[in-house]
Amino acid sequence: MTTPRTHTTAPTKDTSGADAAPADFFVPGAHYVDGDGYKAPEQTHTFQCEHIVLHPRPGAGPRAFGFLRNNAPGSEWFSKALTKNDFDQWTRIPETLDAPTDGTDPAADAPF
């Protein structure tokens, strides 16, 4: 019988010398879109970054964990992890656009 490995919540050290969250990487709490103003909503996605962690494999770099959804009306959120290679296709949505201006509750459409 095999003994299961214990899960540790301590931060993993990256022996490659790379930072946990490079300056040109996702930011926890920020929202990102992968399209431009010329694509239909169902062809674009929104990513809400929740956490940045280092992958346990040495040299693998950081991962941005959060929630992703298709921008078509009524689309559901699902969990997603993105890498440094994914970052270039995403554009951060300014905080002023994150907050609704019509008085609605921003948490109503949040994934949690």
Side-chain angles (χ1 to χ4, degrees), residues 25-71:
F25 197 60
F26 298 97
V27 175
H31 292 83
Y32 298 83
V33 65
D34 70 348
D36 54 33
Y38 300 102
K39 290 185 179 177
E42 60 273 7
Q43 295 178 330
T44 63
H45 300 86
T46 297
F47 177 67
Q48 177 179 317
C49 181
E50 294 295 326
H51 300 286
I52 305 294
V53 296
L54 286 177
H55 192 280
R57 183 173 36 103
R63 297 293 189 270
F65 285 91
F67 298 95
L68 185 106
R69 70 172 282 202
N70 179 295
N71 289 326

Side-chain angles (χ1 to χ4, degrees), residues 84-109:
K84 177 75 172 101
N85 292 337
D86 298 320
F87 180 74
D88 291 338
Q89 76 182 35
W90 294 91
T91 303
R92 185 172 179 175
I93 300 171
E95 284 78 9
T96 56
L97 297 178
D98 286 342
T101 57
D102 60 1
T104 58
D105 180 10
D109 194 31

